[in-house]
Amino acid sequence: MPSPTTDPVATRRVSLLTLGCARNEVDSEELAGRLAAGGWELAAEPEDSDVVVVNTCGFVESAKKDSVDTLLAASDTGKKVVAVGCMAERYGNELAENLPEADAVLGFDHYADLSDRLDDIVAGRKIESHTPSDRRKLLPISPVQRPTAAETVEVPGHAQHGWGPRVLRTRLDTSPVAALKIASGCDRRCSFCAIPSFRGSFVSRQPDEIVAEAMWLAENGVKELFLVSENSTSYGKDFGRDGARALELLLPRLAAVPGIERVRVSYLQPAETRPGLVKAIATTPGVADYFDLSFQHSSETVLRRMRRFGSTDSFLALCDQIREYSPNAGIRTNVIVGFPGETEEDVAELERFLTGARLDAVGVFGYSDEDGTEAETFEGKLDETVVAERVSRISALVEELTSQRAEDRIGDFVDVLIEQAEDGEDPIGRAAHQAPEVDGECVLIETDDLPSLAVGDFVRCEVVDSEGVDLIVRPAPPEADR
């Protein structure tokens, strides 16, 4: 009989390292829930575990490099290392061949029995590496046929089937904000994006299941829900005729969950953002008047080559529509410059949009080829120096415009969720127009009557200054304007 120090069952400790977006964070907490249900103990540090599971990101080249570097660093601990997540799903056995430091490269189809697979790895049993395939082919072409079919297909973040009322998730931090996945996959065919090929076709989670998970998160100390998916504006499209307003109907249900004080929606496609959804996000009590809109560009010529829709004028009209409901609504986006065929006139059109839109935050990215995408085959590729120059040019404009937008908020009142409150330091939090990590923060300055604040508190504040996109705020008196 093996001794306790060598018996794999007696040393079942695992740590999870997560890279990439908030969707990956949800997937990691689902994996943590699966492993805990399988008898694994979660370790905070890789050095204290038997197996290190790295949830990789495979979206852009820099993210792939970060994933590889993290896998190599995990291997340096001397522990068993397993790659999961988007990069593992996308490259599978190719990644395994080029990264022998990883003891296994597992795809989404391994998630359901991950506990058993880690037992195999600790015991020294060889696991065949994942072989990638186009996951869009796993679900029916017709969206309304997908919810039932998804019960037999491994879709990360949709693990509740067969678990009844139990939420298959274990929190990996104590933050008062948590991502909540409402859907997975994408049916769009943007020419620069490979995500649908390894994340699969779009499929919504059922509203009752989402609300149940929201209640569980609230019971575990969450105050703000961050709704995530690859395309939130498509939520409910696979519910049939009753799905057109599914997100509009879901939002007030989530906002009414006891303990939840703010609900934030992310990943909206401008071409699919209907007036009813705009109104629901901008006016529903408890829902942040925050619009994370994936514009990507505003030149019609570039957008068509991206296989997207819209224009500078239509995008500006959407921003105006939002601000008719909520003048202080937060709007953020990402843009890609240097796309194949982009001209100086196209860049000028993008500048016209950015100048007129008064956005709160903008991520600027230079185009680079992505494996297996349509754009990889396009003619008209720009020299890297030209792309870099345009990134610098647009970034400088964005920095100026978003700083001005923050200055415009001086004198406004905002509700700040406290996320850092350490002795001797100014408390730090976020207002409704600021999403976690990407949109700036609020710094509370000390006053004689500054209340004792803790992480998770909501504080009504007045904006007194700004630094870039960050706001300097102070607690407002009880009679402050709401």
Side-chain angles (χ1 to χ4, degrees):
M1 178 177 180
S3 68
T5 57
T6 59
D7 184 354
V9 176
T11 57
R12 303 172 82 216
R13 289 173 58 81
V14 60
S15 60
L16 289 101
L17 304 178
T18 306
L19 295 98
C21 64
R23 300 184 294 272
N24 253 18
E25 293 173 8
V26 176
D27 294 350
S28 285
E29 294 197 345
E30 176 194 302
L31 292 177
R34 288 184 180 277
L35 292 171
W40 284 80
E41 181 182 347
L42 298 175
E45 301 296 334
E47 292 79 5
D48 298 329
S49 63
D50 300 293
V51 183
V52 182
V53 176
V54 180
N55 190 353
T56 61
C57 179
F59 180 44
V60 292
E61 200 60 39
S62 60
K64 298 173 196 173
K65 182 180 183 304
D66 288 344
S67 294
V68 170
D69 289 345
T70 302
L71 287 162
L72 292 173
S75 177
D76 288 342
T77 65
K79 309 300 181 180
K80 300 288 186 179
V81 176
V82 175
V84 299
C86 291
M87 188 176 182
E89 175 65 36
R90 185 176 181 183
Y91 294 104
N93 41 23
E94 178 186 345
L95 176 62
E97 291 171 5
N98 288 281
L99 196 72
E101 292 83 356
D103 294 276
V105 176
L106 306 181
F108 298 152
D109 291 334
H110 290 97
Y111 282 16
D113 56 1
L114 185 62
S115 176
D116 292 339
R117 298 293 72 75
L118 296 194
D119 280 339
D120 289 338
I121 291 164
V122 171
R125 292 187 285 270
K126 178 69 174 176
I127 298 176
E128 196 71 25
S129 296
H130 163 64
T131 300
S133 63
D134 189 338
R135 294 192 71 85
R136 289 172 292 191
K137 298 178 181 179
L138 299 181
L139 292 172
I141 294 176
S142 171
V144 295
Q145 296 177 345
R146 293 177 191 164
T148 300
E151 297 183 19
T152 61
V153 173
E154 192 61 40
V155 182
H158 295 236
Q160 301 308 123
H161 302 300
W163 289 81
R166 177 179 176 181
V167 173
L168 187 59
R169 180 171 179 173
T170 296
R171 294 221 67 202
L172 296 175
D173 61 40
T174 58
S175 170
V177 59
L180 176 57
K181 187 173 286 190
I182 63 172
S184 287
C186 186
D187 288 342
R188 300 182 70 88
R189 295 295 180 265
C190 301
S191 62
F192 56 84
C193 183
I195 289 176
S197 66
F198 57 86
R199 275 289 182 176
S201 298
F202 183 89
V203 59
S204 305
R205 294 181 69 192
Q206 293 296 321
D208 289 348
E209 182 181 307
I210 295 170
V211 173
E213 187 166 336
M215 294 175 67
W216 179 86
L217 288 168
E219 292 167 359
N220 282 271
V222 171
K223 300 295 184 68
E224 177 179 317
L225 299 175
F226 186 33
L227 307 187
V228 299
S229 70
E230 273 75 30
N231 178 6
S232 295
T233 37
S234 282
Y235 179 74
K237 65 179 284 186
D238 42 350
F239 294 164
R241 294 178 58 185
D242 297 332
R245 297 182 60 240
L247 184 54
E248 299 168 36
L249 298 175
L250 177 64
L251 290 175
R253 291 186 63 188
L254 293 174
V257 170
I260 297 300
E261 299 195 41
R262 188 156 68 198
V263 178
R264 182 184 304 279
V265 186
S266 65
Y267 304 108
L268 303 173
Q269 290 291 339
E272 298 178 26
T273 304
R274 302 173 303 278
L277 181 59
V278 171
K279 182 178 180 180
I281 294 174
T283 65
T284 301
V287 176
D289 49 352
Y290 171 83
F291 293 81
D292 175 15
L293 290 159
S294 177
F295 290 118
Q296 301 299 350
H297 211 285
S298 71
S299 162
E300 288 189 73
T301 303
V302 174
L303 287 168
R304 297 305 175 270
R305 288 175 67 82
M306 289 180 169
R307 304 293 182 242
R308 297 175 66 86
F309 303 95
S311 66
T312 294
D313 290 336
S314 67
F315 291 166
L316 289 175
L318 177 56
C319 293
D320 289 343
Q321 182 185 71
I322 290 168
R323 292 187 173 118
E324 286 179 7
Y325 287 112
S326 178
N328 288 326
I331 308 176
R332 70 108 53 217
T333 196
N334 294 319
V335 296
I336 298 173
V337 294
F339 195 77
E342 182 189 63
T343 65
E344 279 294 329
E345 290 75 17
D346 295 324
V347 179
E349 188 70 359
L350 177 59
E351 290 173 324
R352 181 169 79 89
F353 166 67
L354 293 171
T355 302
R358 296 172 57 241
L359 305 176
D360 291 272
V362 182
V364 181
F365 298 90
Y367 172 81
S368 61
D369 286 336
E370 269 297 299
D371 296 340
T373 61
E374 183 185 7
E376 187 182 25
T377 68
F378 284 176
E379 297 180 353
K381 300 283 178 62
L382 303 182
D383 188 87
E384 289 184 4
T385 59
V386 175
V387 176
E389 184 278 327
R390 291 181 181 178
V391 169
S392 178
R393 170 178 160 187
I394 296 299
S395 295
L397 175 64
V398 162
E399 183 176 358
E400 177 184 355
L401 293 172
T402 54
S403 294
Q404 291 174 359
R405 177 64 175 153
E407 288 179 14
D408 291 342
R409 294 187 181 274
I410 295 175
D412 291 347
F413 292 90
V414 293
D415 293 311
V416 178
L417 170 61
I418 302 300
E419 294 185 302
Q420 298 179 41
E422 300 179 10
D423 291 341
E425 298 185 11
D426 293 329
I428 295 175
R430 291 178 297 101
H433 70 282
Q434 297 169 319
E437 299 181 3
V438 294
D439 296 338
E441 59 192 18
C442 291
V443 180
L444 278 74
I445 59 174
E446 291 191 28
T447 61
D448 293 338
D449 57 350
L450 181 66
S452 177
L453 299 174
V455 172
D457 287 344
F458 270 85
V459 186
R460 186 70 170 173
C461 295
E462 180 182 5
V463 182
V464 297
D465 203 353
S466 65
E467 293 182 1
V469 296
D470 296 336
L471 301 182
I472 312 302
V473 302
R474 64 184 175 203
E479 66 274 11
D481 177 36
R482 287 187 178 271

